[in-house]
Amino acid sequence: MSTDSSAPRVAPAWRAPLVVIAIGSIAWWALPDQLGLLTRIAITALFVLSLDLVVGIAGLATLGHAALFGAGAYAAGLFALKASGEPLIGLAVGAGAGALLALASGAFLLRYHGFTFLMLTVAVAQIAASLAQKARDWTGGDDGLSGFTMGPLLGRFAFDLEGRTAALYAIAVLALGLYVARRVVDSPFGLAVRGIHESRARMAALGTPVLRRLLAMYTLAGALAGAAGALSAQTNAIVGLDSLSFALSAEALVMLILGGAGRLHGALIGAVVFTLLHHTAASINPYHWLFIIGAALMVVVLLPPQKAWDWLRSRLGTKA
Amino acid sequence: MSHSIRRSAAALTISAATTLALTSFGAAAQTVKVGIVGPFSGPFAHYGTLFKNGAEAYIASQGGKLAGKEVELIYRDTGGPNPGQTKTLVQELIVKDKVDYLGGFVFTPNAFAVAPLIQQSQTPTVIFNAATSAITDKSEFFIRTSYTLWQVTVPMAQWAAKNNIKKVVTAVTDYGPGIDAETAFKSEFAKQGGTVVESIRMPISTTDFAPFVQRIKASGAQAVYTFLPGGPPNLGFVKAYNENGLAKAGVQFLGTAEMDEFDLQKFGDSALGLTTAFHYSAAHDSPANKKFVEALKKKDANAIANYASVGAWDGMHVIHKMIEATGGQKDGLKAVAAARSLQWESPRGPVRIDPKTRHIVQNVYLRQVEKAGALLVNKEVQNFGPQIDYGLDK
Amino acid sequence: MQLLANVLIDGLAYGMVLFIIAVGLSVTLGLMRFVNLAHGAFAMIGGYAAALLTREAQWSFWIAVPVAVAATAALGAVLEALVLRHLYRRTELEQVLFTIGLSFFLIALTNALAGPQVQLIVLPPLLAQSVDLGFRTLPAQRLLVIAAGLVVAAAAAWTVTRTRFGIWLRAAVDHPDTAATLGIPIRTVQCASFAAGAALAGLGGVLGAELMPLEPYYALKYLVLVLVVVAVGGMGSLPGSLLAAVSLGIVETASKYLASDWGGLFFFLAMALLLAWRPNGLLKR
């Protein structure tokens, strides 16, 4: 699973988002009965994309990313409950909350690296989860934050039972997030961060303010994660404590590694494949779907699809 | 195209094709579809098995059909408290599988999450377990056949006061139903003239209950009133109670669901004499209960009769009556109207659905653990009579 | 005063359980640099084996436990030799992915074979009783755990610093190629170390079964706690793990006594503060 970061990227930033919109629209049209699943996939993809900025681009493995998602979700939910049901402002509020938490926690966390950083992200996320549970009057505690209804999107498209509006909304935000991520990662700032991933010492020697660059990337990731959380709050009309859970962080990391970290589209692939796999396996056998996922993960590591593909091509005699 | 894009296209195609292939093509018009939503994997997976056994045993006991219609049960796994996933699953059940009824639900946030869906689609939803009072308020299509904490706690508080227990310490798991239990006990016990000397809240992830048991000992109370969510925490708390000598120290155990038949045998003789107030005991002596236990054992010799499986059994009974009332057609309003006036003899005793709150009104019993042959059972020593959901009363 | 004594005793017992489970992971993580997130699964397997032997086969506790631990070690050795050793050269993220997949698989297998119910280990009468310490009672099993923790700590420390195997292990980790040219059997050392880690996990699963009930999800449920102890104690530092486990156990117990409605906040706050102060582990600078 090597990154091709050594080669200069020439693909324009709008290509991948257009592919996302195309595939998303086809899925929206072809599967009108499963738009809830489609929405969920889009939100998860955005979340895992934000994780890729931290893990794949900046090289910081984190198991606390759910804190940023949850912050966005609760912020958007509270905004809808107390202020206004307007979705786009709520989305901005969620993204802002995620960014704010990332900025605040990152200032502390980013001084550490490796395993220490990983465990500290766990601590921050668990502390956030404990606080959310304690602040029952604000967050609803275990019962979740509910009772808010979303207004129509852009003043015209109401959130319907089948989830038509929600699915297109989520896909659009995902495409936008991907565009922003792509632009940032391909910019000189993005290159600097990737340089820091490869060698902190070298970048520091070049005069790069390492901590500031990492903090900026972490904050951006927080904004995208917060946006994903806001989407979740708005399309589900409820926010549960599971939005801050360790399980969510761990699952996102698994999806990212599955799809391949560091290339942005790997995040989307991992999210789609894992969610579909889980959904399919669970509906076949709700008790034993974990067998399938466990086996799939092990197989993917032992026989990376890349190698299998190459082997297949060499056997078939075609040039690589 | 590069390797990675080709790989991703392949993966996407395979995944999409698999999902499409599993699309149900709609069954015959005679089949009534019921979606059962609950945890089938993860730490609470035992609820899923209990629901499945209770529901399927009921259908088998009615000869395989309900009101002359074939019934198809579709199971969906929510994992734990996961409102987002539950909403997605129920949305699919309603829109794609076109279920006529929904059943199940263990966790409050999951039930809250689907309230707008069932309200809009007019899908009657029977709650087999979730015990927070506020749930039935969220949609007129919720009907509950389990219990609420207020319902089982109020009579216990009254009994404690009548039996010269003046000082009690409450120890509950720190989540919705636990806090309901604490609030209910405090309010009723105070009304009866007693005092709650301390209210201990135990985090939901607790595995080591020794500190809490020490606090209970130190509180100077005559009894501890407790509620835990079922499964490993219940086991851990009761063991800690026994191992740390609380009974010897004179602190009486007043529980609710802790003597759940699912884990009861594991306590051994140390559980003898423990008192609980609850709505169902597998040892309830009635023909209806005998029929229930037999039906369960016929389905699976290892099946356990407890509050969750009886919640599913009675839940299917309500669905049965709703199918009868609507002639197998999907008519949510008619079905719920019919459900509101139901009363029947359940394995737990005589029950009825309260027309105003759509919650089950049932007898709550005082039980003590005794030995019946080689097994431990919850013997009903007193019947508090029919209790409503006091939590909605306010 | 009573409160302090209670906190110390209960905290020590809880901390010892964490230590016994965590020390195996500290070994694999620190000494072998292999991220084994299936460690919790080994603890679970050890516990399940002991439960099965004492309950179904009705063996004596004192025989069943060593057998269960040996079985877990054997399973660990087999997995290492057949599969895991191919992952030593892979990136950490790939090791994470694989071992999480393995954990999922083992959870599903346990659920399929033994069902979702909690498994109880039948304790011998000696351990099932409560010991009266005068001011309070303590289950005898907790005393065993505290004693076992101390024995494990001593034995592990002695093995790593005083035996030839320990020297081989440290050499094999730091400079595998040089060690190989010196004739140290690298593969044997790696396999034996992994098996030892698995055995310790299994022992932890057995001894901790009173506090951490054995059910299929065990494998992942307590993984975070174990990782915390390893991180705070410092990877590969056995005395560090002991200190970390006991300290965090006492903090967690104190919070249950004094501020239980804050949940796990203080545990993770303490952990964050300790890690921020000593990022490489409590006893390393």
Side-chain angles (χ1 to χ4, degrees), chain A residues 142-143, chain B residues 106 108 130-132 147 149 172-173 175-182 227:
Chain A
D142 293 272
D143 291 346
Chain B
V106 172
T108 305
T132 306
Y147 68 107
L149 267 311
V172 300
T173 300
Y175 79 135
I179 296 172
D180 261 6
E182 182 193 283
F227 177 76

Side-chain angles (χ1 to χ4, degrees), chain B residues 207-323:
Chain B
T207 49
D208 181 12
F209 290 93
F212 298 114
V213 160
Q214 291 301 321
R215 278 173 73 179
I216 292 169
K217 235 194 207 169
S219 67
Q222 298 159 286
V224 54
Y225 178 71
T226 176
F227 177 76
L228 293 132
N234 295 38
L235 194 58
F237 183 80
V238 175
K239 282 175 82 203
Y241 173 88
N242 290 325
E243 282 167 5
N244 285 281
L246 273 186
K248 253 188 270 160
V251 182
Q252 188 172 359
F253 184 96
L254 301 175
T256 37
E258 293 68 39
M259 295 296 115
D260 177 10
E261 282 80 3
F262 193 74
D263 277 328
L264 184 56
Q265 307 308 325
K266 296 201 174 75
F267 295 127
D269 287 353
S270 55
L272 287 170
L274 292 183
T275 312
T276 50
F278 213 44
H279 59 290
Y280 178 68
S281 161
H284 179 72
D285 193 7
S286 80
N289 194 29
K290 280 202 188 44
K291 191 165 154 240
F292 168 56
V293 175
E294 260 166 34
L296 269 185
K297 296 291 182 200
K298 207 159 117 186
K299 169 158 192 334
D300 178 355
N302 290 323
I304 311 248
N306 75 344
Y307 67 97
S309 46
V310 86
W313 173 277
D314 283 325
M316 288 311 295
H317 176 89
V318 170
I319 292 178
H320 180 179
K321 292 298 167 193
M322 289 198 284
I323 297 176

Side-chain angles (χ1 to χ4, degrees), chain A residues 19-164:
Chain A
V19 171
V20 165
I21 292 179
I23 297 179
S25 307
I26 295 173
W28 182 86
W29 172 82
L31 302 166
D33 290 339
Q34 294 184 286
L35 296 175
L37 182 62
L38 184 61
T39 311
R40 201 172 156 72
I41 290 178
I43 293 174
T44 308
L46 182 59
F47 181 51
V48 181
L49 177 68
S50 79
L51 185 64
D52 199 11
L53 291 178
V54 179
V55 176
I57 306 293
L60 303 160
T62 161
L63 275 174
H65 214 60
L68 308 173
F69 180 89
Y74 277 106
L78 280 170
F79 181 78
L81 189 64
K82 310 268 184 197
S84 145
E86 215 292 317
L88 292 177
I89 304 183
L91 181 66
V93 168
L100 210 64
L101 182 61
L103 187 63
S105 60
F108 159 66
L109 290 169
L110 292 167
R111 297 172 194 284
Y112 305 91
H113 34 260
F115 190 54
T116 310
F117 174 79
L118 181 73
M119 293 314 294
L120 282 173
T121 58
V122 172
V124 166
Q126 293 284 57
I127 290 171
S130 298
L131 289 174
Q133 213 235 3
K134 181 84 174 83
R136 198 161 271 123
D137 296 331
W138 281 92
T139 61
D142 293 272
D143 291 346
L145 182 68
S146 60
F148 53 90
T149 26
M150 301 309 303
L153 186 62
L154 297 174
R156 272 192 53 200
F157 307 101
F159 285 92
D160 57 317
L161 175 67
E162 291 81 12
R164 288 196 304 254

Side-chain angles (χ1 to χ4, degrees), chain C residues 22-283:
Chain C
V23 72
L25 186 60
S26 195
V27 166
T28 18
L29 207 51
L31 299 182
M32 299 174 63
R33 312 281 155 83
F34 177 65
V35 182
N36 179 24
L37 294 187
H39 190 77
F42 286 119
M44 181 177 77
I45 289 170
Y48 265 80
L52 225 76
L53 291 173
T54 53
R55 238 191 27 241
E56 306 296 321
Q58 317 239 316
W59 288 18
S60 151
F61 178 84
W62 306 105
I63 303 181
V65 171
V67 171
V69 169
T72 317
L75 180 66
V78 165
L79 272 175
E80 198 272 351
L82 288 181
V83 182
L84 298 175
R85 70 176 169 113
H86 299 287
L87 298 174
Y88 288 151
R89 301 266 167 94
R90 300 289 203 93
T91 69
E92 283 164 357
L93 288 182
E94 287 172 297
Q95 293 173 354
V96 163
L97 193 66
F98 185 86
T99 51
I100 286 191
L102 181 60
S103 294
F104 281 167
F105 192 84
L106 289 171
I107 292 174
L109 191 64
T110 309
N111 187 33
L113 293 177
Q117 286 180 306
V118 170
Q119 302 290 327
L120 289 183
I121 299 177
V122 178
L123 295 176
L126 179 66
L127 293 179
Q129 63 184 310
S130 300
V131 172
D132 191 349
L133 296 174
F135 56 95
R136 59 167 281 178
T137 52
L138 184 71
Q141 203 262 354
R142 300 291 176 100
L143 285 176
L144 174 68
V145 169
I146 294 175
L150 294 170
V151 167
V152 164
W158 180 81
T159 309
V160 171
T161 51
R162 293 293 164 92
T163 63
R164 181 170 295 196
F165 177 78
I167 297 174
W168 284 355
L169 176 61
R170 284 182 287 154
V173 168
D174 289 339
H175 297 282
D177 298 322
T178 318
T181 57
L182 287 175
I184 296 176
I186 304 290
R187 278 299 309 140
T188 317
V189 169
Q190 286 174 334
C191 193
S193 309
F194 191 84
L200 286 170
L203 180 65
V206 171
L207 293 178
E210 302 290 309
L211 294 181
M212 296 176 195
L214 295 166
E215 32 102 13
Y217 236 68
Y218 183 107
L220 288 177
K221 215 166 160 182
Y222 307 111
L223 186 63
V224 183
L225 294 181
V226 173
L227 283 174
V228 167
V229 169
V230 170
V232 173
M235 278 197 276
S237 164
L238 294 162
S241 304
L242 183 59
L243 190 57
V246 172
S247 315
L248 289 172
I250 291 177
V251 167
E252 171 76 349
T253 307
S255 92
K256 281 186 189 152
Y257 271 101
L258 299 171
S260 65
D261 46 342
W262 285 89
L265 182 77
F266 293 105
F267 178 85
F268 287 101
L269 201 57
M271 169 226 174
L273 291 172
L274 285 173
L275 258 187
W277 174 52
R278 291 277 167 89
N280 291 318
L282 278 178
L283 299 176

Side-chain angles (χ1 to χ4, degrees), chain B residues 8-259:
Chain B
S8 48
L12 273 168
T13 316
I14 294 171
S15 314
T18 324
T19 310
L20 269 170
L22 288 161
T23 307
S24 74
F25 290 101
Q30 284 284 81
T31 312
V32 172
K33 294 200 198 169
V34 179
I36 308 277
V37 177
F40 288 89
S41 68
F44 299 99
H46 57 284
Y47 274 109
T49 315
L50 291 162
F51 284 173
K52 188 162 189 272
N53 287 338
E56 289 180 7
Y58 181 84
I59 296 178
S61 77
Q62 301 297 313
K65 287 196 199 188
L66 297 182
K69 310 279 176 214
E70 291 282 345
V71 174
E72 184 191 343
L73 297 179
I74 304 176
Y75 297 100
R76 290 287 178 255
D77 177 26
T78 60
N82 199 332
Q85 184 164 343
T86 307
K87 181 165 190 267
T88 306
L89 291 170
V90 167
Q91 195 169 25
E92 199 176 279
L93 282 172
I94 293 176
V95 172
K96 176 163 157 283
D97 301 292
K98 303 205 185 354
V99 294
D100 302 289
Y101 300 97
L102 285 168
F105 296 95
V106 172
F107 301 105
T108 305
N110 296 353
F112 281 170
V114 306
L117 291 176
I118 65 170
Q119 183 68 24
Q120 212 180 330
S121 64
Q122 301 193 337
T123 311
T125 302
V126 184
I127 297 174
F128 293 174
N129 187 72
T132 306
S133 301
I135 297 177
T136 41
D137 271 347
K138 298 289 180 184
S139 164
E140 63 182 282
F141 291 91
F142 272 131
I143 304 156
R144 178 159 33 202
T145 55
S146 55
Y147 68 107
T148 65
L149 267 311
W150 280 86
Q151 188 171 34
V152 300
T153 304
V154 164
M156 177 58 118
Q158 293 169 345
W159 179 86
K162 274 200 206 86
N163 279 271
N164 274 320
I165 299 176
K166 297 270 177 275
K167 298 202 279 180
V168 169
V169 54
T170 60
V172 300
T173 300
D174 198 0
Y175 79 135
I179 296 172
D180 261 6
E182 182 193 283
T183 318
F185 192 88
K186 273 167 101 162
S187 111
E188 188 63 26
F189 200 53
K191 248 197 264 177
Q192 303 289 333
T195 355
V196 172
V197 294
E198 197 183 337
S199 294
I200 300 175
R201 298 219 181 144
M202 310 184 284
I204 203 166
S205 57
T206 307
T207 49
D208 181 12
F209 290 93
F212 298 114
V213 160
Q214 291 301 321
R215 278 173 73 179
I216 292 169
K217 235 194 207 169
S219 67
Q222 298 159 286
V224 54
Y225 178 71
T226 176
F227 177 76
L228 293 132
N234 295 38
L235 194 58
F237 183 80
V238 175
K239 282 175 82 203
Y241 173 88
N242 290 325
E243 282 167 5
N244 285 281
L246 273 186
K248 253 188 270 160
V251 182
Q252 188 172 359
F253 184 96
L254 301 175
T256 37
E258 293 68 39
M259 295 296 115

